[in-house]
Amino acid sequence: MDLTWLSPIFLLLAVVGCVYGLTSAWLGGRFAAKPAPRLPEGAARPSVTILKPLCGLEPNLYQNLETFCRQDYPGPVQVVFGVQNAADPVIGVVERLREAHPDLRIDLVIDARQHGSNRKVSNLINMAEHVAHAVIVLADSDMVVAPDYLERVVAELSQPGVTGVTCLYHGVPANRGVYAHLSALAIDVQFLPNVLMGTGLGLAKPCFGSTIAFTAESLSRIGGFQRIRNDLADDYELGEALRGLGGRIAIPNFSIGHTCVDTEIPGLWRHELRWNRTIRNVDPAGYAGSVVTHAFPLALIGALLPGAGSGALAVAALALACRILLCIRLERAFGLQPHPYWLLPIRDILSFMNFSWGFVSGAVTWKGHDYRVVADGTLIPEAQLSKDAEAPTA
């Protein structure tokens, strides 16, 4: 069978990917430089409840959560932590935070009630009964924020026509290991450029679990968290519901940290597979089209196929150079720590493998539980899916 026609196609896709990467780099600089809204000096700030659903101990968890307790925000603040297991050791972390911050209202909700297949959302439904303030800021447990985070998020939410706020995020390795750095690179050179491209061109309307801010009134109007109790992409669906109120989801011009804790390939593979299958279910066409973002692996395949010309390896070198330039540009735009650039080719090959595997089946593993994801993004718990979601051993 004559396959020589395939090589030019892969190389062309790789060149398109190079253009895509350079465009993302430019959009990243433009995004970070845009003006940020500010609340008037001396004006009263709305009261805020921060919701932090928890499940089990994680590396750097105390330090991550404490960044939300050390906010330079002059208005009333309540932090609500929620767990579903009374024996969860994370409760001890919350007690330490209470001792360290006696002047901050910290509420702990321990409630085992399950309201749907999404365990995180069930936790949120239980926590919502304890919300005391007008503005709600929901953020995942592995996020790291600066002291002015709450002030900037509330300023965005106060703008006309805004019904919700979400935040970009970058990777923060929790250790010096290779896998934690690979995980951080996946966020910084794969996820972040794709979001910048999608939002910059008006092709995407994202909403991330890194931060979702809205008013208690808005939550009531959309029917509460019960609306998303069975969704894998609960953050995306919450954003869609908030837009349905007639407003938009604003994204401030900064990114917050996402702690990357991976210490082995199987764990890294599983959670990236969950991300990929979430995106695939939310936007199947966009997911398929994002193949061009994998310029370096595409160029390597094109160079290895029969009929590859003498310039094939030059295309692969160009693709890798564009990835390095993209990484450096986003590091400077968002004030990130430099990455070990020698990991980029490994990161790109691993990302392409995971992206390709994301088309196979609908199995995901999340917080130790296995699920099947149906076409509308609904989670169906299954007990025998873990083998399907594991990394290849070869």
Side-chain angles (χ1 to χ4, degrees):
M1 182 180 296
D2 183 11
L3 298 178
T4 56
W5 58 274
L6 277 176
S7 178
I9 292 177
F10 276 91
L11 294 175
L12 177 60
L13 288 173
V15 171
V16 173
C18 291
V19 175
Y20 181 100
L22 294 175
T23 304
S24 298
W26 173 73
L27 289 171
R30 188 181 72 168
F31 179 89
K34 73 177 184 178
R38 297 195 177 277
L39 295 170
E41 288 288 338
R45 274 27 177 189
S47 57
V48 178
T49 293
I50 301 174
L51 297 181
K52 303 289 287 188
L54 305 176
C55 180
L57 294 176
E58 303 168 358
N60 295 4
L61 181 62
Y62 179 88
Q63 292 84 350
N64 295 344
L65 298 179
E66 191 173 41
T67 63
F68 288 83
C69 298
R70 293 184 177 276
Q71 289 297 301
D72 295 334
Y73 186 76
V77 176
Q78 171 200 26
V79 184
V80 179
F81 295 104
V83 299
Q84 292 187 285
N85 184 352
D88 195 322
V90 78
I91 293 172
V93 175
V94 177
E95 295 301 338
R96 285 176 57 198
L97 288 168
R98 277 177 160 170
E99 293 176 4
H101 302 276
D103 297 329
L104 176 64
R105 177 177 175 180
I106 297 178
D107 294 338
L108 173 62
V109 178
I110 305 174
D111 193 331
R113 287 178 295 167
Q114 191 71 19
H115 304 274
S117 56
N118 189 315
R119 293 174 177 268
K120 170 189 167 183
V121 176
S122 287
N123 199 357
L124 287 170
I125 292 171
N126 298 335
M127 297 163 65
E129 299 174 5
H130 301 264
V131 169
H133 294 318
V135 171
I136 299 173
V137 177
L138 166 61
D140 288 341
S141 59
D142 50 10
M143 294 296 156
V144 182
V145 296
D148 63 348
Y149 157 82
L150 205 54
E151 176 83 2
R152 297 176 75 174
V153 167
V154 172
E156 289 283 351
L157 188 61
S158 69
Q159 298 305 296
V162 173
T163 52
V165 175
T166 195
C167 287
L168 299 180
Y169 57 92
H170 59 269
V172 180
N175 55 66
R176 297 183 179 180
V178 169
Y179 302 115
H181 280 282
L182 284 172
S183 182
L185 272 171
I187 297 172
D188 295 357
V189 300
Q190 201 70 44
F191 160 80
L192 194 52
N194 289 351
V195 174
L196 290 167
M197 178 67 80
T199 56
L201 300 181
L203 302 175
K205 296 180 179 180
C207 191
F208 310 116
S210 57
T211 292
I212 309 177
F214 44 90
T215 64
E217 179 187 2
S218 293
L219 181 63
S220 176
R221 289 176 61 192
I222 65 173
F225 292 120
Q226 289 87 346
R227 178 168 176 159
I228 55 171
R229 65 187 183 276
N230 293 316
D231 293 309
L232 171 62
D234 52 89
D235 45 6
Y236 174 84
E237 296 298 337
L238 182 55
E240 285 292 283
L242 291 170
R243 288 189 194 94
L245 299 177
R248 62 184 177 88
I249 303 297
I251 306 178
N253 67 342
F254 64 95
S255 70
I256 65 176
H258 174 281
T259 304
C260 300
V261 301
D262 295 291
T263 58
E264 55 182 15
I265 279 288
L268 177 66
W269 180 272
R270 281 192 294 269
H271 83 242
E272 290 184 7
L273 188 63
R274 176 168 63 85
W275 290 347
N276 277 327
R277 284 181 173 156
T278 300
I279 297 168
R280 188 197 70 183
N281 278 281
V282 168
D283 183 11
Y287 183 75
S290 67
V291 65
V292 299
T293 67
H294 302 276
F296 179 64
L298 291 172
L300 283 183
I301 295 172
L304 294 173
L305 283 171
S310 57
L313 288 178
V315 174
L318 173 65
L320 186 56
C322 288
R323 296 294 278 168
I324 295 172
L325 286 173
L326 169 65
C327 189
I328 293 172
R329 176 56 175 159
L330 294 183
E331 288 169 353
R332 293 178 178 176
F334 293 100
L336 313 183
Q337 291 296 316
H339 289 283
Y341 304 125
W342 64 270
L343 282 177
L344 273 170
I346 300 172
R347 173 67 268 176
D348 282 0
I349 292 171
L350 184 61
S351 291
F352 183 70
M353 292 171 61
N354 199 283
F355 165 81
S356 301
W357 194 249
F359 287 100
V360 180
S361 177
V364 297
T365 299
W366 190 11
K367 295 288 186 180
H369 298 274
D370 299 317
Y371 301 89
R372 176 168 53 89
V373 186
V374 297
D376 65 355
T378 300
L379 286 172
I380 307 296
E382 289 198 15
Q384 303 298 323
L385 288 175
S386 57
K387 291 184 179 179
D388 183 72
E390 288 176 354
T393 57

